[in-house]
Amino acid sequence: MNVDQIMMNLERKHPGEVEYLQAVREVLDSIEDIVNENPQFEAAGIIDRIVEPDRILTFKVPWVDDKGKVNVNLGYRVQFNNAIGPYKGGLRFHPSVNLSILKFLGFEQIFKNSLTTLPMGGGKGGSDFDPKGKSDNEIMRFCQSFMMELHALIGPETDVPAGDIGVGGREIGFLYGMYKKIRKEHTGVLTGKGLNWGGSLIRPEATGFGNVYFAQEMLATRGMSFEGKRVAISGFGNVAWGAALKVAQLGGKVVTISGPDGYIYDETGISGEKIDYMLELRASNNDIVKPYATEFPEAKFFEGKKPWEVKCDVALPCATQNELNEADAKMLVANGCFCVGEGANMPCTPEAIEVFLGNKVLYSPGKASNAGGVATSGLEMSQNSMKYAWSAEEVDQKLHGIMRDIHNQCVKYGTEEDGYVNYMKGANIAGFIKVANAMLDQGIL
Ligand code: NDP
Ligand code: 2IT
């Protein structure tokens, strides 16, 4: 396999799709040796087939705002690969959403879902709709219009969307309600549902919890735990909240959270009511983290800055793609940070990852360490199929087991000669092999 050649062709076919090309390059670099050792993959065109989505659906989403003005957004669903199960992946509502971002997310999702051990293919969708400052009624009308188109593309055995940035429990409720109205059926077509109508306990916490469980496993390889560790978290959304909650439970001290406006530094530690307050901040639809420092005056707000300049042992980037660059990575390492667990999708740039690998930092890629979210979505699908609900303890135990399993897969395929575990390589190889073998079994499709 000639990675440079494949990338050149892709760049020619998809000019400007930088995030998608970045995600593909990372995976191809990791799997190059495995593909070269297994000629059956190239013979069946696995690489050429896996880097292109099965199909991309785009549609317009017209909706009327509270002032009576008609607005039109773009809606997308990228159905990337269903070799091991129905397409599965979140919906992102954010003004930055474009095809490149959804293709990168859908591509990552294939390997992430493969790692979870559950039967789920990869997909992603969303819209350039900006939820910021919108009323609940505006969000409802938007979600209803979005589902008017999306319903024809999805189904519990076909494609099962969920949340991502800008899509949480409220949006899933509006989307599910409209699906039910159009299709006249109550079915597990979306995950992240409310507890009274098919949702799973622990799904809201799952991505953050899973990220911390994975970091716990990484720390354990060096005989360490979260007890007494200083932890820098970015973001203040769903993933950051779950991660902060679990770190605090495990005796770690969360010293930062962040938003698009800057970061909060709280030397007394973010725990208890402060973590509950994160939920209020997120639900306010204002998308700024600054009010935390007014609510808790012992904290300081650093406008326009990222949290990677603070001294910490563990960093958990939980906001968005490419939010941690080479300079940030060097600063973290210089300040003694030895463990980085990606809660967001692709938050570290390739140059930042180089810095971590070069310094033997315990570094986990999002497709491994944030897989707890979609894994628990998979558990929600299982419960929906059984028409039964597990207790929080049962779901949490299964989630914990899955995160340990993913860690083991990364160690199996990512351990280097000196014993250092390259989790990025391990995750990419383990995720790829399962999907590639399924594609081989099923013929040229
Ligand atoms: P939320 O919408 O709950 O929070 C996202 C946070 O990131 C917000 O603070 C948001 O602020 C900020 N953010 C988003 N885009 C940007 C940007 N371009 N620049 C700066 N800040 C930004 O989303 P989640 O917590 O659900 O998602 C966070 C990350 O975790 C994403 O990468 C997502 O793909 C990933 N993820 C989520 C899972 C889930 O189950 N929810 C599962 C696995 C991964 P603002 O909106 O103002 O930009
Ligand atoms: O990036 C992700 O894994 C998610 N946003 C969760 C997807 C899901 O289907 O639960």
Side-chain angles (χ1 to χ4, degrees), residues 34-311:
I34 290 285
V35 171
N36 288 336
E37 288 158 18
N38 291 276
Q40 70 275 21
F41 291 147
E42 275 210 288
I46 298 288
I47 303 302
D48 290 339
R49 289 193 285 137
I50 211 168
V51 298
E52 292 287 354
D54 288 350
R55 65 194 66 79
I56 298 172
L57 304 130
T58 63
F59 45 92
K60 72 169 183 251
V61 188
W63 58 280
V64 181
D65 66 23
D66 288 345
K67 297 193 182 94
K69 181 173 170 280
V70 177
N71 297 266
V72 180
N73 285 99
L74 289 176
Y76 307 85
R77 188 70 184 164
V78 179
Q79 296 181 330
F80 225 113
N81 185 298
N82 65 353
I84 63 169
Y87 303 107
K88 178 84 194 89
L91 296 170
R92 177 177 289 192
F93 293 169
H94 195 271
S96 63
V97 162
N98 58 34
L99 212 45
S100 171
I101 287 182
L102 295 181
K103 280 173 66 181
F104 118 64
L105 289 164
F107 182 72
E108 291 276 292
Q109 201 82 43
I110 304 171
F111 308 100
K112 182 195 307 192
N113 293 3
S114 165
L115 287 168
T116 65
T117 71
L118 302 172
M120 298 182 289
K124 200 83 187 188
S127 173
D128 58 358
F129 173 74
D130 186 359
K132 189 171 170 174
K134 301 290 187 298
S135 71
D136 279 3
N137 276 332
E138 287 174 325
I139 288 176
M140 178 182 74
R141 287 195 292 274
F142 174 79
C143 288
Q144 290 177 339
S145 180
F146 187 84
M147 187 52 86
M148 283 294 284
E149 284 292 328
L150 188 71
H151 81 93
L153 318 173
I154 61 176
E157 309 297 338
T158 321
D159 184 352
V160 183
D164 192 80
I165 291 177
V167 178
R170 173 184 49 189
E171 291 75 19
I172 294 292
F174 294 144
L175 291 163
Y176 188 79
M178 196 60 180
Y179 182 90
K180 184 167 64 73
K181 175 137 181 119
I182 301 167
R183 304 288 284 256
K184 317 237 169 343
E185 58 185 33
H186 237 297
T187 182
V189 67
L190 293 163
T191 59
K193 300 188 288 300
L195 286 179
N196 294 331
W197 41 279
S200 173
L201 286 160
I202 305 295
R203 178 62 188 89
E205 293 87 348
T207 311
F209 276 22
N211 189 24
V212 175
Y213 291 150
F214 195 95
Q216 231 183 340
E217 294 296 315
M218 292 203 290
L219 291 172
T221 64
R222 295 190 185 169
M224 292 186 284
S225 75
F226 267 101
E227 187 67 46
K229 297 289 180 301
R230 286 169 64 86
V231 180
I233 294 180
S234 64
F236 67 104
N238 173 259
V239 180
W241 165 76
L245 196 58
K246 187 49 79 178
V247 169
Q249 280 175 12
L250 294 176
K253 188 179 185 183
V254 177
V255 290
T256 67
I257 51 173
S258 73
D261 53 333
Y263 79 91
I264 292 289
Y265 178 70
D266 189 341
E267 179 54 39
T268 64
I270 301 172
S271 63
E273 56 162 353
K274 293 175 171 176
I275 295 177
D276 297 340
Y277 180 71
M278 285 172 74
L279 288 179
E280 270 177 57
L281 263 186
R282 192 75 199 114
S284 70
N285 268 6
N286 287 325
D287 272 340
I288 49 172
V289 77
K290 187 179 176 183
Y292 181 104
T294 314
E295 189 77 13
F296 305 107
E298 63 273 29
K300 279 174 94 172
F301 174 66
F302 292 87
E303 188 159 4
K305 294 280 192 76
K306 296 192 275 186
W308 315 127
E309 60 189 25
V310 309
K311 192 170 162 40

